[in-house]
Structure formats: structure tokens, C-alpha cells
Amino acid sequence: MSVAPHRTPTTRCKPAARWPILDTIVLHRFFTKPWRALAHAHLPSQCAICGGWPAQRVCEHCAASFAQPRPRCRSCALPLPGGATQCGQCLLHPPPLDTCIAAVDYDYPWAGVLADFKFHGDPSWAAPLAALLRSTPWAEPAIEAADWLVPIPLTRERLGERGFNQAQRIALALASGKTRDDLLLRVRATPDQHALGRAQRLANLQAVFAVDPLRAQELSGGTVLLVDDVMTTGATLHTAAQVLRRAGAAHVSALVVARADLRER
């Protein structure tokens, strides 16, 4: 007597309910940092200003429209009438910076771009902002002449909030081999300076910066290029420059993405 072979039922099982949830988790992990930053840095996307697609972070049309070079004071980077090279304030009171170079005004659309860079956790803005700086007149020679690019340091608390130092990211994108974030230290936190004038900012910045004593000898006779994203009154950069000069730096200049013009407010 033959026995019929056992057959496995052919009915397909329905997918378990957990798969959609798992897919969501996987996709979420994939598109969060650092993968999101990597995608922004290497893949075409919308222009952050005009919304055109596909484009780089800032398309060529917007760069040409909003990043045209303009005459600036060689000492503080404030806009000047054509033909002038230094503003009256810098002639009367020479700042501790040999030169100061800014790519754009701190205005539309760059104020929004820099806010996205600093406060919305998008470090991939560093590369396009560095490219903007390199295209600025006199920026390339300043980078080449510098022994060190020194980003303005953040406090430990601010660094923890943002997850990165925007000035350091820009400096690394400009010249990673020259960038030093271990020379200038921020040894004291300051109150929020957003709404303060220059005198109040300078008072807040007293004893904020220091040079690492174990590395101070490296600055002796050297040329330093300070790097920051925004220059408002100049108090931060001037204080940092004074500290570097006291430590032995022979030349200190500054390179910033945007310069605020408080004369217009």
C-alpha cells in the first residue's frame, strides 16, 4: 500500500506587520547624519537660494547674482566707495589685524545660509562656503601666505549644542594641512553677544582667549590667518588677534564669509 508524499501547503504567508516599521527605522538611520551630509556634499540637489534643480548648494546664477566682489576696507572689510582702501575708523584707530577679507555682506541670502549651517546641523555647507571664499579677491594669496589657519574656537557648551565648530569646518575645507585648532583656546564662556554693541562685546571678551602654552613657540614670528563665518563688530577677531600677537605671531589677518555693516542699522 503506497502512502502519498507529504506536501507543504503552498499558501503564501502575509508579511509580518513589523516590516514597515523596520523599513522606516532603516531609512531614518540611512538619511540621518552623516549620510545626509554626505549626500548633500556629493549629489546634485536644489539650489538653497533659488530652488533650481539639479544644482550645487548654490547655483552659478545665484553665486553671480549675490556674491559679486565689492570694494572693502582692507583692515575691517566694511564696504567702501570705489577707490578707497581703508575706512576712516581704521585710519584713526588701526586694528590688530593686518588685513581682513570678507566674501559677502551679512544680508540676504547669506544670513539664512549661515544660520542653516550653524544652527540646523548641516556641516556640509563648509565646502561651498570655502569655495566662495577662495573666489574672493585676495583670499587665495592670504591662504597661501599663512603658516596656520586658526579657526575661532567655540566654548565646550556651544560645541556640544551644535556638534561641530563651523569656523573649523570652513578652515579645513580651505586648507586642511594648515588648519590648527589647538593653538587658540577659548577658556571662558561669554553671554550671548547678539544684541550688544562693540564696547560691550569687548568687555565680555576680556580673558576669553588664550594660546596653549605648550604650543606658543610655534607662533613665534609666524603668519596666522584667523577664520570665522561672520564678522559683526570685529570684537571677537580683534581680541583673538591681540592674544596671538602677544604670543609671538608676527602677522595676523582674518578671513570671514560674511561681514555685517552696522552703519546701515
Side-chain angles (χ1 to χ4, degrees), residues 9 18 24 62 87 173-174 209-210:
R18 67 178 182 274
T24 301
C62 287
C87 70
L174 286 168
F209 298 116

Side-chain angles (χ1 to χ4, degrees), residues 96 201-202 205-209 234-244 246:
R201 286 175 181 242
L202 284 170
L205 289 166
Q206 293 301 312
V208 163
F209 298 116
T236 298
L237 288 166
H238 290 176
T239 303
Q242 290 168 345
V243 170
L244 291 166
R246 286 197 294 266

Side-chain angles (χ1 to χ4, degrees), residues 66-92:
F66 298 110
Q68 286 294 327
R70 61 185 302 187
R72 296 181 181 276
C73 173
R74 68 187 182 194
S75 300
C76 71
L78 281 174
L80 288 179
T85 59
Q86 202 168 19
C87 70
Q89 185 67 20
C90 289
L91 285 171
L92 290 173

Side-chain angles (χ1 to χ4, degrees), residues 18-236:
R18 67 178 182 274
W19 286 111
I21 297 175
L22 182 59
D23 289 344
T24 301
I25 294 172
V26 171
L27 289 173
H28 174 74
R29 288 179 178 174
F30 185 80
F31 284 105
T32 51
K33 295 179 287 187
W35 301 109
R36 182 176 59 190
L38 182 64
H40 285 173
H42 297 284
L43 297 178
S45 61
Q46 284 183 298
C47 170
I49 297 173
C50 70
W53 189 94
Q56 301 300 319
R57 301 302 296 273
V58 177
C59 71
E60 293 182 6
H61 174 76
C62 287
S65 299
F66 298 110
Q68 286 294 327
R70 61 185 302 187
R72 296 181 181 276
C73 173
R74 68 187 182 194
S75 300
C76 71
L78 281 174
L80 288 179
T85 59
Q86 202 168 19
C87 70
Q89 185 67 20
C90 289
L91 285 171
L92 290 173
H93 306 285
L97 293 171
D98 292 306
T99 59
C100 185
I101 301 166
V104 295
D105 294 328
Y106 187 60
D107 203 347
Y108 176 85
W110 305 110
V113 164
L114 290 169
D116 190 43
F117 179 34
K118 286 200 295 188
F119 305 123
H120 297 161
D122 192 353
S124 62
W125 266 113
L129 291 176
L132 177 67
L133 279 169
R134 281 194 171 275
S135 66
T136 302
W138 310 116
E140 196 76 42
I143 295 169
E144 294 300 320
D147 296 311
W148 309 116
L149 270 64
V150 175
I152 293 295
L154 296 178
T155 63
R156 183 176 299 178
E157 294 76 15
R158 190 62 57 84
L159 184 61
E161 291 172 4
R162 295 182 186 172
F164 64 96
N165 179 350
Q166 72 280 355
Q168 180 204 37
R169 292 299 180 97
I170 293 171
L172 287 171
L174 286 168
S176 60
K178 291 185 174 184
T179 297
R180 294 288 298 272
D181 60 0
D182 57 348
L183 295 175
L184 185 65
L185 309 176
R186 194 161 196 144
V187 296
R188 185 172 68 83
T190 57
D192 186 8
Q193 304 215 115
H194 179 72
L196 300 181
R198 176 175 171 77
Q200 292 172 298
R201 286 175 181 242
L202 284 170
N204 277 348
L205 289 166
Q206 293 301 312
V208 163
F209 298 116
V211 169
D212 186 334
L214 298 178
R215 297 179 172 84
Q217 62 180 3
E218 299 180 47
L219 290 169
S220 181
T223 298
V224 175
L225 184 61
L226 287 165
V227 178
D228 208 358
D229 58 331
V230 180
M231 181 178 182
T232 308
T233 66
T236 298

